[in-house]
Amino acid sequence: MKDEMAQVDSIRNGIIDKLLTISDKEYLMALLRLVDNSALQDEKIKLTKEQKLMLEMSETDIQNGRIIAQSDLDKNDLEWLKGK
């Protein structure tokens, strides 16, 4: 399964690299329509057991009030960046 995911990642990254070199707007629009109309939108994303565990831990944090407001987080980030 890991090898298959590595191959998928490699293919995806190769496509992204090639897309970055395309400057023809019509060609890019055609590719966008192709991707938008693909069956990938209907495909469910399969999470790893580690991803599922992280989501469960997040839910537990929310239920137990272990949260921080986005504005507070932004403030902390700015303070941290100023200290660097």
Side-chain angles (χ1 to χ4, degrees), residues 3-40:
D3 289 334
E4 184 177 329
M5 289 306 297
Q7 289 175 341
V8 168
D9 288 342
S10 178
I11 293 168
R12 182 182 304 113
N13 290 336
I15 291 170
I16 291 168
D17 289 343
K18 290 178 183 177
L19 282 174
L20 293 172
T21 65
I22 299 171
S23 59
D24 183 310
K25 181 181 176 185
E26 294 301 317
Y27 191 80
L28 289 169
M29 292 300 294
L31 287 171
L32 179 60
R33 284 191 298 275
L34 178 67
V35 171
D36 283 346
N37 293 328
S38 74
L40 292 177

Side-chain angles (χ1 to χ4, degrees), residues 37-48:
N37 293 328
S38 74
L40 292 177
Q41 292 177 344
D42 296 331
E43 185 178 314
K44 291 186 178 182
I45 297 172
K46 295 177 183 167
L47 301 175
T48 66

Side-chain angles (χ1 to χ4, degrees), residues 22-78:
I22 299 171
S23 59
D24 183 310
K25 181 181 176 185
E26 294 301 317
Y27 191 80
L28 289 169
M29 292 300 294
L31 287 171
L32 179 60
R33 284 191 298 275
L34 178 67
V35 171
D36 283 346
N37 293 328
S38 74
L40 292 177
Q41 292 177 344
D42 296 331
E43 185 178 314
K44 291 186 178 182
I45 297 172
K46 295 177 183 167
L47 301 175
T48 66
K49 61 183 175 185
E50 293 83 6
Q51 290 170 320
K52 289 178 184 177
L53 177 60
M54 291 299 295
L55 289 171
E56 289 171 6
M57 291 169 63
S58 296
E59 284 295 321
T60 301
D61 284 341
I62 292 168
Q63 291 170 358
N64 291 314
R66 294 186 299 255
I67 58 175
I68 185 170
Q70 184 66 45
S71 59
D72 293 336
L73 184 60
D74 293 342
K75 181 181 172 186
N76 290 345
D77 287 346
L78 286 174

